[in-house]
Structure formats: C-alpha cells, structure tokens
Amino acid sequence: MNKVLPLVALLIALGLIIFLYLRLTKTEEALKQANLRFSDCEQVNFQLQNQLTQATRGAAVPDSLKVR
C-alpha cells in the first residue's frame, strides 16, 4: 500500500499531461485554421474596398469587377 499510492498519483498525472497535450495540439490546429480564414477574409475585404473605390471614382472598371 505504501508504494501503490504514489504510483497511482503518477499515473493520474501522466494521464492528465497526455490529455492536456492532446487538447493543446487540437486547439493550435484550430487556431491555424482560424488564422487562414481570417487572412482570406482580409484579402476579400481589401479587394471589395478597391472595387468600391474604383466604382465610386468613376474609373474604368473591368466588366468582371463592375457593381451590379
């Protein structure tokens, strides 16, 4: 009994470390995906702002970019 309690405590600690490591890995992957989506949204927003600026200034806008 004297050696069983520390062994159980170590196994619980090891299980907790593994669990937290897996959660951290999953969270980091989700963060990478969110950053990719955010950069895509920024790029689209920038393109739309340029399109709007060109349309409001009366510059020659290609047919593919014309506001309909």
Side-chain angles (χ1 to χ4, degrees):
M1 181 68 183
N2 194 14
K3 295 182 181 182
V4 174
L5 188 59
L7 183 60
V8 170
L10 285 173
L11 288 175
I12 290 173
L14 181 61
L16 184 60
I17 289 170
I18 292 171
F19 170 74
L20 291 175
Y21 174 77
L22 293 174
R23 289 239 0 225
L24 179 62
T25 304
K26 184 187 262 188
T27 303
E28 285 176 337
E29 184 61 34
L31 180 61
K32 286 179 188 176
Q33 291 294 325
N35 281 334
L36 286 175
R37 288 185 186 128
F38 180 73
S39 66
D40 289 345
C41 289
E42 279 186 320
Q43 184 176 4
V44 169
N45 190 28
F46 179 75
Q47 291 170 347
L48 289 173
Q49 285 177 344
N50 282 341
Q51 179 182 344
L52 180 63
T53 301
Q54 288 178 355
T56 56
R57 288 186 180 168
V61 179
D63 289 338
S64 61
L65 295 177
K66 285 189 178 176
V67 178
R68 296 177 187 161

